[in-house]
Amino acid sequence: MRRFARKLHRYAGLVLALFLVVVGLTGSALAFYEEIDAWLNPDLMHVPPGRPALSASELTSRIEAWDDRIQERTLTLPGDSAQAARAFVLPEDPILAADPDYADELGFTEVWADPATGAVLGTRLWGSCCLGRAELMPFIYRLHYTLHAPGRIGVWLLGGISVLWTFDCLIGFYLTLPRRRPFWSRWKKSWKVKTDAGAERTNYDTHRAGGLWLWGVLFLLAVTGVYFNLNREVFRPVVEVFSKPKPYPFETRETLAREDWGRDLIGFDRAIDLASVEAARRGWPSGLTRVGVVPAQAYYIVYFEPLEGVRSGLGSPIVYVDGHDGSLIGDSVPLEGSAADVIYRLQFPIHSGQILGLPGRIIIFLAGIVTAVLSVTGVVIWALGVRRRARNGHRRTAARPSPLRQAVPDAGRGGP
C-alpha cells in the first residue's frame, strides 16, 4: 500500500509541479493585490482627499457621458475620500456586450474616476498582457486561474489540477506517517530539516517538513481551487448531496433578448435606496461598498459594509433588487442560510486569506512560496532517484559475468 501511495505521489507531483509553481507564486502576489496595484498606479487610484462625493447615479452618468459607447456594470465606491471610484463597463451595444471578445473592441473594461467630480482619471483593459504597471496585477490574476488560455480551457485545466492536488495532499500526508512505533517520536522527525546531512537529505527534509507545517493551508487552497474553477462541474454537486443552497437570481431569472439589455432600468440610486431600506430594517450598517447591475437579467446587486460582529474578511451582506419594479428578489449574508450557503460564502475568504485579516493574507503569501518550493524539491527528489537507480543498474550490469564467458570459460585465452 505504501509503495503504491509513493508512486502515486511521485507521478502526481510531476504532473502538478510546473502548474503549482505558477499558481503558487502568482497566488503569493495576489494576497496583496489591492496594495500592490495601488502602489504601481497612484495616478489612477488616488485623488485629493476631503471633498464630498457624488451620488452613485450622478457619478455613473458622468462616466458614461465621457464615452457614449459604454454602460456601467459595477461601481465600487471608495472607502475614503482619497481613493478613486472604479467602474467596470460594458459596451452600450447589447450585441457587442454579449460578445466574449467585446473588451478588445472597446479597448478597456475598467474606468477610474474622481468621486467628487466624475472626471475620468484613466482606463485599463483588465487582464490584458503583460508587464506594464497598469496591466501587471490583472495579468497575474488572470494567469493564476486561467493561465491566459483561450476560452474555458485554462479554467478547466487548473480545475483538474486542483482536484489532483487535493488528493495528492492527502497522499503526501499519509506518507509522512511512520510505519513503526513509537509513533510520536518517529513522526516528530518528519517535521524537522537536517541541514548537516548533505544537500540531498536537506532537500528531502525540506519537501517533507514544508508540506507538513502548512499542510492544512495547502489542502484548503486545493479544495477552494476546485470551487473557483470547477464549481458547477464538481464542487456544487458534491456539496449539494448534503445541503441545498437558496437559489441566486442569476440561476432563476430569465435572460432577456439582447435588444432589451439595460432597457427601462430604475438606475443605481433607486436600487441603492430600496436596498438601504431593507438594510435598515435588518439593522445592517448603512455604508455601501459597491453596486452592480446585470443588464442581461435586469437586476441590481447592492453590497453593504461588513456586519458588526462579523469579521470583515467573510465578505459583505448583499441585497438583490429587480431592475424594473424595484422589488427585493434575494439576499446573501455571511454565515447565514443553509450549510451549503455558508460553505460557498467561505471559499473566497479562505482562498485569499481574508478570513483572518492581515495575518491570513501573510499566511497565503507564504503558502504560495512554499507551494513552489515543494514542487521544485519534489522534482529534485525524483531526478536524484532516477540517477541513483541508473547508477545502481549500471553497477549490477558491470558486476554480472558475461554470458559468453559463462558459456566459454577459456574464451580470450586462445582456446584449448
Side-chain angles (χ1 to χ4, degrees), residues 3-24:
R3 180 177 297 178
F4 178 66
R6 188 179 293 112
K7 285 186 176 181
L8 283 180
H9 185 61
R10 178 188 305 147
Y11 294 116
L14 290 173
V15 172
L16 293 169
L18 179 60
F19 296 105
L20 292 188
V21 168
V22 174
V23 169

Side-chain angles (χ1 to χ4, degrees), residues 73 90-91 93-105 258 261:
R73 184 174 63 188
L90 289 166
D93 180 356
I95 296 178
L96 186 57
D99 185 344
D101 297 322
Y102 79 88
D104 293 330
E105 296 289 335
R258 288 178 177 178
W261 286 21

